[in-house]
């Protein structure tokens, strides 16, 4: 098949069985490799869906100026899609952005607006959102994407990711385990799969320090998981269980995934591995679990500087200790 643009290559990502990492009797863990999307992450799907649906409906015009607060994969995905559709994009970021992500945003042609003042809780979220509103209020034709409140976020996964899983997985699934941030991925995939498997359990892997499910805020460094706000698209009653993973556990999970399966994935994938270690002992046997590995690990190699040795490092050396299975 020959596609008209790189956007046609989004989706149809493969699924692999993590048999080396999870070799317990009666346990099968299947992972969809969303890192193989052309922009490098699962965020390619909602970025394309939101923009192209907006262009079709008229919510986004050919001369619109798109604005979003994001320091990671969604910003990169938006920049890629905007490049193809020749749309202007401003991404509001903060000093926690990795050097690689910053370079990628510039290379794709996004305008980068960095806030420098924190919001008093160790983060920058409120200042980033304030800056987004300023841009929308002053730049003509501005449209705020707002992935945390945009229903097209989860619909992208219900219409693509979930349908691909149903087509590719032969036989029933018992549980999905997914890292959460906006909650668009877990909601979209779960809604699609529950049409076929109504008893499917949905387990959210959240970060220690994230406030999505009512836990107290705290500093966190691993990107792509957790949030400093409760997403407007969250439907709490559709989530059966929540497990929390800290930065160190996420990094350890990255090591295990690399050294057991040869998969170099980002921090949210490591968090999924750590979350699976927590939830699998609670599930009846036999059990068949589906998860997503959201992005590649290359863009996190420079996540933390060498002058911060007390912080978890993505140095990809073998883990000093195995993940706890308790």
């Amino acid at each position: 098949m020959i596609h008209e643009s790189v956007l046609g290559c989004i989706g149809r990502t493969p699924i692999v069985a993590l048999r080396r990492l999870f070799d317990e009797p009666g346990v099968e863990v299947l992972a969809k490799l969303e890192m193989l999307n052309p922009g490098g992450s699962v965020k390619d799907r909602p970025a394309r869906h939101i923009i192209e649906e907006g262009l079709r409906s008229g919510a986004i015009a050919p001369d619109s100026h798109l604005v979003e607060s994001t320091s990671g994969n969604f910003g990169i995905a938006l920049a890629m899609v905007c490049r193809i559709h020749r749309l202007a994009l401003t991404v509001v970021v903060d000093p926690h952005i990795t050097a690689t992500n910053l370079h990628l945003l510039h290379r794709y042609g996004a305008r980068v607006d960095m806030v420098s003042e924190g919001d008093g809780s160790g983060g920058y979220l409120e200042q980033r959102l304030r800056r987004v509103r300023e841009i929308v209020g002053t730049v003509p034709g501005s449209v705020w994407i707002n992935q945390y409140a945009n229903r097209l976020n989860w619909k992208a996964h219900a219409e693509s990711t979930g349908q691909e899983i149903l087509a590719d997985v032969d036989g029933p699934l018992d549980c999905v385990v997914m890292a959460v941030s906006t909650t668009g991925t877990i909601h979209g995939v779960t809604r699609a799969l529950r049409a076929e498997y109504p008893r499917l359990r949905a387990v959210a892997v959240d970060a220690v320090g994230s406030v999505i499910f009512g836990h107290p805020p705290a500093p966190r460094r691993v990107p792509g998981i957790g949030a400093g706000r409760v997403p407007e698209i969250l439907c709490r009653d559709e989530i059966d269980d929540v497990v929390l993973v800290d930065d160190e556990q996420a990094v350890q999970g990255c090591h295990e995934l690399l050294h057991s399966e040869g998969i170099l994935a980002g921090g949210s994938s490591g968090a999924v591995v750590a979350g699976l270690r927590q939830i699998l002992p609670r599930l009846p046997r036999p059990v068949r679990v589906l998860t997503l590995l959201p992005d590649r690990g290359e863009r996190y190699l420079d996540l933390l500087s060498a002058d911060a040795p007390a912080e978890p490092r993505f140095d990809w050396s073998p883990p000093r200790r195995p993940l706890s299975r308790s």
Side-chain angles (χ1 to χ4, degrees), residues 59-75:
I60 297 173
D63 61 349
S64 288
H65 180 148
L66 306 188
V67 186
E68 182 65 318
S69 166
T70 171
S71 290
N73 292 320
F74 191 56

PDB file of all heavy atoms in Angstrom, residues 59-75:
ATOM      1  N   ALA A  59     -14.520  23.303  12.806  1.00  0.00           N
ATOM      2  CA  ALA A  59     -14.017  23.816  14.083  1.00  0.00           C
ATOM      3  C   ALA A  59     -12.589  24.312  13.945  1.00  0.00           C
ATOM      4  O   ALA A  59     -12.142  25.189  14.684  1.00  0.00           O
ATOM      5  CB  ALA A  59     -14.110  22.726  15.155  1.00  0.00           C
ATOM      6  N   ILE A  60     -11.853  23.731  12.993  1.00  0.00           N
ATOM      7  CA  ILE A  60     -10.506  24.184  12.648  1.00  0.00           C
ATOM      8  C   ILE A  60     -10.544  24.636  11.193  1.00  0.00           C
ATOM      9  O   ILE A  60     -10.992  23.880  10.310  1.00  0.00           O
ATOM     10  CB  ILE A  60      -9.469  23.068  12.837  1.00  0.00           C
ATOM     11  CG1 ILE A  60      -9.382  22.652  14.316  1.00  0.00           C
ATOM     12  CG2 ILE A  60      -8.093  23.513  12.339  1.00  0.00           C
ATOM     13  CD1 ILE A  60      -8.490  21.441  14.572  1.00  0.00           C
ATOM     14  N   ALA A  61     -10.100  25.847  10.945  1.00  0.00           N
ATOM     15  CA  ALA A  61     -10.053  26.377   9.585  1.00  0.00           C
ATOM     16  C   ALA A  61      -8.649  26.238   9.024  1.00  0.00           C
ATOM     17  O   ALA A  61      -7.679  26.062   9.777  1.00  0.00           O
ATOM     18  CB  ALA A  61     -10.477  27.852   9.594  1.00  0.00           C
ATOM     19  N   PRO A  62      -8.495  26.326   7.703  1.00  0.00           N
ATOM     20  CA  PRO A  62      -7.149  26.213   7.120  1.00  0.00           C
ATOM     21  C   PRO A  62      -6.164  27.257   7.642  1.00  0.00           C
ATOM     22  O   PRO A  62      -4.950  27.019   7.612  1.00  0.00           O
ATOM     23  CB  PRO A  62      -7.409  26.386   5.616  1.00  0.00           C
ATOM     24  CG  PRO A  62      -8.818  25.930   5.423  1.00  0.00           C
ATOM     25  CD  PRO A  62      -9.539  26.358   6.665  1.00  0.00           C
ATOM     26  N   ASP A  63      -6.683  28.402   8.124  1.00  0.00           N
ATOM     27  CA  ASP A  63      -5.790  29.442   8.654  1.00  0.00           C
ATOM     28  C   ASP A  63      -5.811  29.520  10.175  1.00  0.00           C
ATOM     29  O   ASP A  63      -5.367  30.510  10.761  1.00  0.00           O
ATOM     30  CB  ASP A  63      -6.152  30.803   8.061  1.00  0.00           C
ATOM     31  CG  ASP A  63      -7.578  31.232   8.394  1.00  0.00           C
ATOM     32  OD1 ASP A  63      -8.351  30.391   8.907  1.00  0.00           O
ATOM     33  OD2 ASP A  63      -7.914  32.403   8.132  1.00  0.00           O
ATOM     34  N   SER A  64      -6.322  28.475  10.823  1.00  0.00           N
ATOM     35  CA  SER A  64      -6.362  28.463  12.293  1.00  0.00           C
ATOM     36  C   SER A  64      -4.956  28.368  12.864  1.00  0.00           C
ATOM     37  O   SER A  64      -4.030  27.847  12.236  1.00  0.00           O
ATOM     38  CB  SER A  64      -7.191  27.282  12.804  1.00  0.00           C
ATOM     39  OG  SER A  64      -8.566  27.466  12.580  1.00  0.00           O
ATOM     40  N   HIS A  65      -4.827  28.870  14.093  1.00  0.00           N
ATOM     41  CA  HIS A  65      -3.581  28.782  14.852  1.00  0.00           C
ATOM     42  C   HIS A  65      -3.868  27.873  16.036  1.00  0.00           C
ATOM     43  O   HIS A  65      -4.549  28.268  16.984  1.00  0.00           O
ATOM     44  CB  HIS A  65      -3.177  30.177  15.322  1.00  0.00           C
ATOM     45  CG  HIS A  65      -1.903  30.219  16.111  1.00  0.00           C
ATOM     46  ND1 HIS A  65      -1.052  31.283  16.085  1.00  0.00           N
ATOM     47  CD2 HIS A  65      -1.325  29.319  16.955  1.00  0.00           C
ATOM     48  CE1 HIS A  65      -0.016  31.062  16.874  1.00  0.00           C
ATOM     49  NE2 HIS A  65      -0.173  29.871  17.416  1.00  0.00           N
ATOM     50  N   LEU A  66      -3.354  26.655  15.995  1.00  0.00           N
ATOM     51  CA  LEU A  66      -3.619  25.688  17.054  1.00  0.00           C
ATOM     52  C   LEU A  66      -2.689  25.933  18.230  1.00  0.00           C
ATOM     53  O   LEU A  66      -1.518  26.291  18.061  1.00  0.00           O
ATOM     54  CB  LEU A  66      -3.450  24.264  16.538  1.00  0.00           C
ATOM     55  CG  LEU A  66      -4.261  23.893  15.288  1.00  0.00           C
ATOM     56  CD1 LEU A  66      -4.139  22.411  15.007  1.00  0.00           C
ATOM     57  CD2 LEU A  66      -5.713  24.302  15.425  1.00  0.00           C
ATOM     58  N   VAL A  67      -3.233  25.714  19.436  1.00  0.00           N
ATOM     59  CA  VAL A  67      -2.481  25.956  20.666  1.00  0.00           C
ATOM     60  C   VAL A  67      -2.708  24.778  21.597  1.00  0.00           C
ATOM     61  O   VAL A  67      -3.839  24.289  21.732  1.00  0.00           O
ATOM     62  CB  VAL A  67      -2.920  27.258  21.362  1.00  0.00           C
ATOM     63  CG1 VAL A  67      -2.028  27.556  22.567  1.00  0.00           C
ATOM     64  CG2 VAL A  67      -2.926  28.429  20.385  1.00  0.00           C
ATOM     65  N   GLU A  68      -1.656  24.310  22.249  1.00  0.00           N
ATOM     66  CA  GLU A  68      -1.797  23.242  23.232  1.00  0.00           C
ATOM     67  C   GLU A  68      -0.699  23.328  24.273  1.00  0.00           C
ATOM     68  O   GLU A  68       0.434  23.765  23.984  1.00  0.00           O
ATOM     69  CB  GLU A  68      -1.754  21.875  22.551  1.00  0.00           C
ATOM     70  CG  GLU A  68      -1.950  20.681  23.484  1.00  0.00           C
ATOM     71  CD  GLU A  68      -3.317  20.584  24.141  1.00  0.00           C
ATOM     72  OE1 GLU A  68      -3.853  21.621  24.580  1.00  0.00           O
ATOM     73  OE2 GLU A  68      -3.857  19.464  24.229  1.00  0.00           O
ATOM     74  N   SER A  69      -1.023  22.924  25.492  1.00  0.00           N
ATOM     75  CA  SER A  69      -0.053  22.815  26.574  1.00  0.00           C
ATOM     76  C   SER A  69       0.422  21.374  26.633  1.00  0.00           C
ATOM     77  O   SER A  69      -0.341  20.481  27.012  1.00  0.00           O
ATOM     78  CB  SER A  69      -0.703  23.220  27.902  1.00  0.00           C
ATOM     79  OG  SER A  69       0.103  22.830  28.996  1.00  0.00           O
ATOM     80  N   THR A  70       1.654  21.134  26.246  1.00  0.00           N
ATOM     81  CA  THR A  70       2.223  19.791  26.277  1.00  0.00           C
ATOM     82  C   THR A  70       3.716  19.882  26.081  1.00  0.00           C
ATOM     83  O   THR A  70       4.203  20.655  25.269  1.00  0.00           O
ATOM     84  CB  THR A  70       1.623  18.879  25.185  1.00  0.00           C
ATOM     85  OG1 THR A  70       2.359  17.650  25.126  1.00  0.00           O
ATOM     86  CG2 THR A  70       1.664  19.549  23.822  1.00  0.00           C
ATOM     87  N   SER A  71       4.451  19.081  26.851  1.00  0.00           N
ATOM     88  CA  SER A  71       5.909  19.050  26.713  1.00  0.00           C
ATOM     89  C   SER A  71       6.404  17.759  26.098  1.00  0.00           C
ATOM     90  O   SER A  71       7.603  17.501  26.064  1.00  0.00           O
ATOM     91  CB  SER A  71       6.567  19.239  28.087  1.00  0.00           C
ATOM     92  OG  SER A  71       6.373  20.551  28.552  1.00  0.00           O
ATOM     93  N   GLY A  72       5.484  16.926  25.620  1.00  0.00           N
ATOM     94  CA  GLY A  72       5.910  15.605  25.205  1.00  0.00           C
ATOM     95  C   GLY A  72       5.337  15.133  23.899  1.00  0.00           C
ATOM     96  O   GLY A  72       5.248  15.872  22.913  1.00  0.00           O
ATOM     97  N   ASN A  73       4.893  13.870  23.902  1.00  0.00           N
ATOM     98  CA  ASN A  73       4.518  13.184  22.683  1.00  0.00           C
ATOM     99  C   ASN A  73       3.356  13.823  21.947  1.00  0.00           C
ATOM    100  O   ASN A  73       3.333  13.834  20.719  1.00  0.00           O
ATOM    101  CB  ASN A  73       4.178  11.722  23.000  1.00  0.00           C
ATOM    102  CG  ASN A  73       5.384  10.924  23.424  1.00  0.00           C
ATOM    103  OD1 ASN A  73       6.470  11.084  22.874  1.00  0.00           O
ATOM    104  ND2 ASN A  73       5.216  10.060  24.414  1.00  0.00           N
ATOM    105  N   PHE A  74       2.381  14.352  22.682  1.00  0.00           N
ATOM    106  CA  PHE A  74       1.228  14.932  22.001  1.00  0.00           C
ATOM    107  C   PHE A  74       1.640  16.175  21.218  1.00  0.00           C
ATOM    108  O   PHE A  74       1.164  16.402  20.104  1.00  0.00           O
ATOM    109  CB  PHE A  74       0.125  15.265  23.009  1.00  0.00           C
ATOM    110  CG  PHE A  74      -1.187  15.622  22.360  1.00  0.00           C
ATOM    111  CD1 PHE A  74      -1.805  14.752  21.484  1.00  0.00           C
ATOM    112  CD2 PHE A  74      -1.808  16.828  22.631  1.00  0.00           C
ATOM    113  CE1 PHE A  74      -3.014  15.080  20.880  1.00  0.00           C
ATOM    114  CE2 PHE A  74      -3.018  17.164  22.037  1.00  0.00           C
ATOM    115  CZ  PHE A  74      -3.621  16.284  21.159  1.00  0.00           C
ATOM    116  N   GLY A  75       2.534  16.967  21.781  1.00  0.00           N
ATOM    117  CA  GLY A  75       3.026  18.133  21.068  1.00  0.00           C
ATOM    118  C   GLY A  75       3.762  17.741  19.797  1.00  0.00           C
ATOM    119  O   GLY A  75       3.584  18.368  18.741  1.00  0.00           O
TER     120      GLY A  75
END
